[in-house]
Structures are given as structure tokens and as C-alpha cells.
């Protein structure tokens, strides 16, 4: 038995029949071929699969595709606009915020949720927000710096406009 | 990991959810953050899931007749950021921020956490300390279950198979109440290895609840009696700590032995009492 879902992913509307047990992360990766969202631990611990569902950071290995019916979804592929990197993507590049890069999409999506609510986070705010994201290269120090870079860039841009 | 196959129904009213529960082997799906991991591990393989995420009003948080009413489908983040909660029930604001991580708080719900009744979950201790009642609805209508009667054992509650939690109701504490939630979190899962919630009312009544310690969260009446109505000082704190966990079967697992967990629980009770001094 399958169920029809309608979702908007990175601004594009999709409609598919899916099996109820299909996980949202597998829908994104295997059906839509958006493979920027990674499967790490597959037990909602590591945060590699973090995306935004209706603007909220979500571990999509712990959500069924059918639960996303009618939702607005943003994945790492939808973060840059017109070929210009999002300040977080630029920050990770500038501050050496990644080593193997596996955790990076999840780190960036979680940090993006933080910056929506807390545009000028303290170091402690950043570390608390990223508690659910593991970096097996243990590069946390530069990840924090990358988020600080993005926060600064976003706040400076806000002043200019 | 992929769950076993199941039938899926999305409902829009509580009555529809209750009707769906009349079929055997049907589970309620709320945030899914306890149920889906269990289903992926095939520890749980219900024949049918009833998704209550679309029931209007079930996430609402409001004040009604001297009570704070938290809809069962309110997420941990909804509760954590709500100004009414911050104003009247800072215990829940403080405790909600310690649940899991940001992503889990965005989806996990208070009703789901209570129904699942994990022995190390955070909400059970907080609702016990706050003197809450769990409002449930079944085929025969609504009833209220005092939090003290709700948790009956390991992953077990007083909820009947065809009942659904609709809300948590907490009497608004009179001005002057102090509270805290103190937790020693397992570093990876952030579940409580031992945690203590304390609500000290203006008249000196003191509610003390533990989670992560026994097979289910519980109020510690021995510790409460040692400090209720008395000034909180070194002597009464020590008396409460000494009286705590009397007759409780303390869990032991590969993270913490019985002796270590008991020690942690008492240390966290002491920390909590110092916070509400």
C-alpha cells in the first residue's frame, strides 16, 4: 500500500506515491536524488541527516516521508542562491570547518536553524546548538569558528541593507 | 535500517484517533522520535500507525481555570520557547532545553515522551514535581490521571490501549515557588543517567522527583518529608539526601552501576535543593 505525498523541496514541488515506511532521508536521497543529505548513524544521534522541515532543523532519518506531506523542506542543496554560497558554506570554506566533510551538510543545516533564532550567538550558544551533530574528525573548534564567521557576515550584511 | 511494513492513517480529530485505536496492534505516531527509532530496530513492529500530527489544537499551550494546559502534541521546543511557560513554569523551560538536542526538541512531543515512559526520559520527573495531571481520552470519554499514578513500571503507564493523551495540566504555582531540573546526562544520548526535579512552593511544600534512577520516574516521599515545611539549610538538605531512595530498586546497566547511579541521584538531589534555597 502506498500513500501520495506532496512536498516542496528547495522551492520545487514534488508529488510521489510512497510506502509508509519510507524514511524521509531515503525519499530525498533515493527518489529525488538529493544526496547532499547524509546517513550517518541512522539512529538520530549523529545529525548528518539534518535538513529543515518547515524551517526547523530535523533529523530526517527519524521522520517518515508520509509525515512530510504538505511540508516545506530545505536541504543543503537549497542553501545557496544564484550560485552564491550561503554565509555558512563560505564560513566552513574560509575557516577550515571540514576535514572529511561527511558531517558538514548536517552541521550547516543545524547552524542555519540556530542563526535564524540567535543571529549573534555566543561560542556556548553554538556549541549547545551543535550538540546533536557529531564530527568524527573531531574538528569542532573550526566548526565553531565557521559559524561565528557566518554570524558576523550575516549581521554585517544586515547593517548594509 | 528500515521499519517493517505497516498501514498508515492520518487523522484530523481525537475521536478519529481513538476509533483507529480499536484495531489491535495500532500505535499513535506523534513526533515519532521514540517510536520510529524503535521500529527501525524492529523492537516494535505495529501493524498500523495513526498519525496525530494533523489534529488541530493538539499542540496548543494555554492557561485555563488556574492551570497551564499543554497540548499532547506540543514539541519540546514549543514548550521551551513559550512565554506562558517561562512565566509560570520555569521548571519546564529549564528542563525542556536539556532534552536530547535541537533537532530532537523540534519534533519530539511531551505526550509522546510520557506515553513512551522511558525510564530515563526528562518529562516524567518534571511533570511529577510540578504536580501535573495527564489528561487522556478514550471511547468512554475523558479522564485525568495524576502524574503520581501514571508511571507504573518500565515503559509502562496507566494509559489503556485505546486511550490517547490529549494534554498535560499543571496547576499554576502561587507566586514565590522555586524549581529546578538537575540532570547528569549520558553524553551521547543525553538521556538522564540520574536526574532530579524539585518544586518548592511558597508555603514550604516540596515535591521531589527522580528519573533515570528506577524502572520508572517517581516522587521520593521520604526525601520530601525530610524538607517540606522546613527551611532549606545544610542540615535539612543532608536529611533529605539521606532519606532519598529508601526502598527504591536502583537500575544498573553498562553506563552506570547501581551504586554509582544511587550516588549520582543523591548528588543531583543536593544540587537541586541548593538551587531552590
Amino acid at each position: 500500500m502506498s500513500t501520495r505525498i506532496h512536498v516542496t523541496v528547495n522551492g520545487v514541488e514534488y508529488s510521489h506515491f510512497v510506502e509508509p515506511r519510507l524514511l524521509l532521508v531515503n525519499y530525498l536521497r533515493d527518489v529525488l536524488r538529493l544526496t547532499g543529505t547524509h546517513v550517518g548513524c541512522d539512529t538520530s544521534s549523529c545529525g548528518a541527516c539534518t535538513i529543515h522541515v518547515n524551517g526547523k532543523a530535523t533529523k530526517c532519518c527519524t521522520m517518515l516521508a508520509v509525515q512530510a506531506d504538505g511540508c516545506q523542506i530545505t536541504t543543503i542543496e537549497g542553501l545557496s542562491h544564484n550560485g552564491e554560497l550561503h554565509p555558512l558554506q563560505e564560513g566552513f570554506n574560509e575557516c577550515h570547518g571540514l576535514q572529511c566533510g561527511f558531517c558538514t551538510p548536517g552541521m550547516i543545516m543545524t547552524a542555519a536553524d540556530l542563526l535564524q533564532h540567535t543571529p549573534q550567538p555566543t561560542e556556548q550558544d553554538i556549541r549547545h546548538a551543535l550538540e546533536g551533530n557529531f564530527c568524527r574528525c573531531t574538528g569542532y573548534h573550526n566548526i565553531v569558528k565557521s559559524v561565528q564567521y557566518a554570524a558576523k557576515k550575516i549581521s554585517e550584511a544586515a547593517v548594509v541593507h | 535500517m528500515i521499519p517493517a511494513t505497516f498501514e498508515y492513517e492520518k487523522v484530523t480529530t481525537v475521536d478519529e484517533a481513538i476509533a483507529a485505536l480499536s484495531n489491535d496492534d495500532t500505535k499513535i505516531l506523534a513526533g515519532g522520535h521514540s517510536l520510529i527509532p524503535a521500529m527501525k530496530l524492529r523492537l516494535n513492529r505495529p501493524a498500523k500507525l495513526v498519525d496525530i500530527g494533523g489534529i488541530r489544537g493538539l499542540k496548543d499551550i494555554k492557561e485555563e481555570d488556574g492551570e497551564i494546559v499543554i497540548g499532547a502534541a506540543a514539541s519540546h521546543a514549543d514548550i521551551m520557547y513559550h512565554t506562558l511557560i517561562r512565566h509560570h513554569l520555569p521548571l519546564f523551560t529549564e528542563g525542556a532545553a536539556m532534552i536530547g538536542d535541537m533537532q530532537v526538541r523540534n519534533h519530539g512531543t511531551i505526550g509522546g515522551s510520557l506515553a513512551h515512559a522511558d525510564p530515563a526520559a526528562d518529562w516524567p520527573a518534571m511533570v511529577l514535581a510540578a504536580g501535573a495531571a495527564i489528561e487522556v481520552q478514550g471511547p468512554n470519554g475523558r479522564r485525568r490521571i495524576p502524574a503520581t499514578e501514571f508511571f507504573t513500571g518500565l515503559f509502562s503507564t496507566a494509559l489503556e490501549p485505546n486511550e490517547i493523551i490529549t494534554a498535560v495540566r499543571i496547576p499554576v504555582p502561587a507566586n514565590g515557588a522555586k524549581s529546578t531540573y538537575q540532570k547528569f546526562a549520558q553524553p551521547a544520548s543525553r538521556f538522564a543517567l540520574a536526574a532530579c526535579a524539585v518544586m518548592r512552593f511558597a508555603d514550604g511544600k516540596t515535591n521531589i522527583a527522580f528519573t533515570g534512577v528506577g524502572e520508572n520516574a517517581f516522587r521520593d516521599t521520604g526525601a520530601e518529608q525530610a524538607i517540606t515545611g522546613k527551611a532549606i539549610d545544610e542540615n535539612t538538605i543532608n536529611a533529605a539526601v539521606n532519606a532519598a531512595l529508601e526502598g527504591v530498586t536502583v537500575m544498573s546497566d553498562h553506563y552506570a552501576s547501581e551504586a554509582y547511579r544511587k550516588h549520582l541521584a543523591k548528588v543531583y538531589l543536593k544540587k537541586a535543593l541548593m538551587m531552590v534555597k
Side-chain angles (χ1 to χ4, degrees), chain B residues 227 232-241 270 273-274 277:
Chain B
I227 206 150
I232 300 183
D233 57 29
E234 206 181 325
N235 288 335
T236 52
I237 290 177
N238 285 337
V241 169
K270 188 170 183 177
L273 290 173
M274 286 167 78
K277 212 165 151 179

Side-chain angles (χ1 to χ4, degrees), chain A residues 1 19-21 23 42-44 50 56-59 61-64 66-67 110 113-114 128-129 131-133, chain B residues 1-6 8 29-33 36-37 40 42 49 51 78 97 101-103 105-107 190:
Chain A
M1 192 196 75
E19 220 189 328
R21 65 175 173 163
L23 299 168
D42 206 5
T43 58
S44 56
T50 302
K56 290 177 182 173
T58 300
K59 291 179 171 178
C61 78
T62 305
M63 186 166 175
L64 303 170
V66 286
Q67 287 178 285
T110 306
D113 188 348
L114 167 73
H128 182 61
E131 270 176 356
N133 291 76
Chain B
M1 296 178 294
I2 295 164
T5 51
F6 55 86
Y8 173 84
L29 174 66
H33 274 49
I36 294 174
K40 286 170 69 178
R42 310 276 174 122
L49 290 189
D51 187 347
D78 291 338
D101 51 53
M102 184 204 282
Q103 296 95 314
R105 290 192 292 272
N106 280 340
H107 286 275
R190 307 209 175 269

Side-chain angles (χ1 to χ4, degrees), chain B residues 84-170:
Chain B
L84 190 66
I85 302 290
R86 191 174 309 148
H87 192 239
H88 290 298
L89 212 57
L91 172 65
F92 281 27
T93 310
E94 181 190 6
M98 286 188 234
I99 298 173
D101 51 53
M102 184 204 282
Q103 296 95 314
V104 169
R105 290 192 292 272
N106 280 340
H107 286 275
T109 66
I110 188 168
S113 170
L114 295 174
H116 187 59
D118 189 292
D122 299 292
W123 283 124
M126 289 187 266
V127 299
L128 281 164
I134 318 301
E135 185 185 84
V136 307
Q137 196 173 326
N140 303 320
R142 284 189 185 185
R143 65 181 180 124
R144 283 178 177 219
I145 308 172
T148 46
E149 294 168 22
F150 189 77
F151 305 102
T152 55
L154 198 66
F155 296 104
S156 302
T157 69
L159 203 61
E160 296 292 338
N162 53 3
E163 283 179 325
I164 168 174
I165 299 177
T166 50
V168 179
R169 291 178 167 266
I170 309 103

Side-chain angles (χ1 to χ4, degrees), chain A:
Chain A
M1 192 196 75
S2 58
T3 303
R4 198 183 233 327
I5 59 166
H6 299 272
V7 289
T8 305
V9 182
N10 303 330
V12 181
E13 288 178 28
Y14 297 94
S15 181
H16 285 101
F17 280 101
V18 298
E19 220 189 328
R21 65 175 173 163
L22 181 69
L23 299 168
L24 181 55
V25 69
N26 296 133
Y27 174 72
L28 295 171
R29 287 179 57 86
D30 302 339
V31 179
L32 303 188
R33 306 304 292 169
L34 293 169
T35 53
T37 302
H38 294 165
V39 180
C41 69
D42 206 5
T43 58
S44 56
S45 300
C46 80
C49 65
T50 302
I51 59 167
H52 291 188
V53 177
N54 292 339
K56 290 177 182 173
T58 300
K59 291 179 171 178
C60 64
C61 78
T62 305
M63 186 166 175
L64 303 170
V66 286
Q67 287 178 285
D69 183 33
C71 290
Q72 296 276 340
I73 290 170
T74 308
T75 68
I76 189 71
E77 289 94 340
L79 218 53
S80 63
H81 283 292
N82 303 323
E84 200 174 317
L85 291 181
H86 183 280
L88 275 162
Q89 293 172 308
E90 190 183 309
F92 274 69
N93 190 14
E94 289 294 324
C95 302
H96 191 43
L98 59 134
Q99 289 167 62
C100 83
F102 191 85
C103 71
T104 311
M107 288 282 178
I108 288 179
M109 297 311 286
T110 306
D113 188 348
L114 167 73
L115 295 181
Q116 288 178 49
H117 296 101
T118 315
Q120 289 172 307
T122 62
E123 183 185 337
Q124 201 185 350
D125 290 335
I126 297 169
R127 289 187 186 272
H128 182 61
L130 294 177
E131 270 176 356
N133 291 76
F134 299 163
C135 168
R136 284 274 126 139
C137 310
T138 69
Y140 294 103
H141 193 65
N142 283 353
I143 290 171
V144 172
K145 279 191 194 166
S146 306
V147 179
Q148 286 169 327
Y149 175 102
K152 188 158 174 271
K153 174 143 191 190
I154 292 168
S155 67
E156 282 170 1
V159 171
V160 171
H161 294 303

